[in-house]
Amino acid sequence: MKDNDPFKEQKLNKFQLSIYLLPIVGWVPALWTLYWKKGDREQQSVSRLSVTLTLTWLLVYVILWLGAAQTSEFLTLRLLYLNGLLTSGYILTCLGLMIRLWQGKSVRLPGISRVAGEVARKKDM
């Protein structure tokens, strides 16, 4: 049976972009795409967003975790709770971006997409 789906390539592209947006592990293929300068403009943009979002989450996660290890028990519980909220927010943001991608909507975050674009422009200079 012949596959006559004219949007098959578009679905494959959305699947690839979804892989970039996977929480915690999606930054690896996204960084690969950025390093080798592969993909179209949309793939580069989503890759930058994924790497920036993951690195931001990781940096704040490590800071809160180290802070919890160095403070009193009173603050430790609060910092670890805040860390859990941050991680949950990061995962929900990634999943929300994946849903927006499959709905055909813009995959941008107001502050983070702008920062990711600025870093890319400065790197190219």
Side-chain angles (χ1 to χ4, degrees), residues 3 7 16 35 39 45 54-56 78-79 105 110-113 120:
D3 189 13
F7 301 106
Q16 184 177 12
Y35 182 77
S45 175
T54 303
L55 289 178
T56 303
R78 282 158 178 75
L79 289 175
K105 296 179 181 176
I112 296 187
S113 293

Side-chain angles (χ1 to χ4, degrees), residues 64 68 71-85:
L64 288 174
T71 62
S72 67
E73 289 180 23
F74 179 74
L75 282 177
T76 297
L77 179 63
R78 282 158 178 75
L79 289 175
L80 290 176
Y81 181 72
L82 187 59
N83 215 350
L85 288 176

Side-chain angles (χ1 to χ4, degrees), residues 3 5 18 23 31 63 67 80 91 102 109 112 118 121:
D3 189 13
D5 186 3
S18 295
L31 190 62
I63 289 171
L80 290 176
I91 291 171
W102 282 96
L109 292 174
I112 296 187
E118 291 294 324
R121 278 191 274 291

Side-chain angles (χ1 to χ4, degrees), residues 46-98:
V46 172
S47 294
R48 280 193 301 272
L49 175 63
S50 174
V51 169
T52 305
L53 190 61
T54 303
L55 289 178
T56 303
W57 165 76
L58 186 62
L59 178 68
V60 176
Y61 180 89
V62 168
I63 289 171
L64 288 174
W65 183 74
L66 288 174
Q70 300 297 321
T71 62
S72 67
E73 289 180 23
F74 179 74
L75 282 177
T76 297
L77 179 63
R78 282 158 178 75
L79 289 175
L80 290 176
Y81 181 72
L82 187 59
N83 215 350
L85 288 176
L86 171 76
T87 301
S88 298
Y90 164 69
I91 291 171
L92 289 174
T93 300
C94 289
L95 293 176
L97 288 171
M98 288 168 58

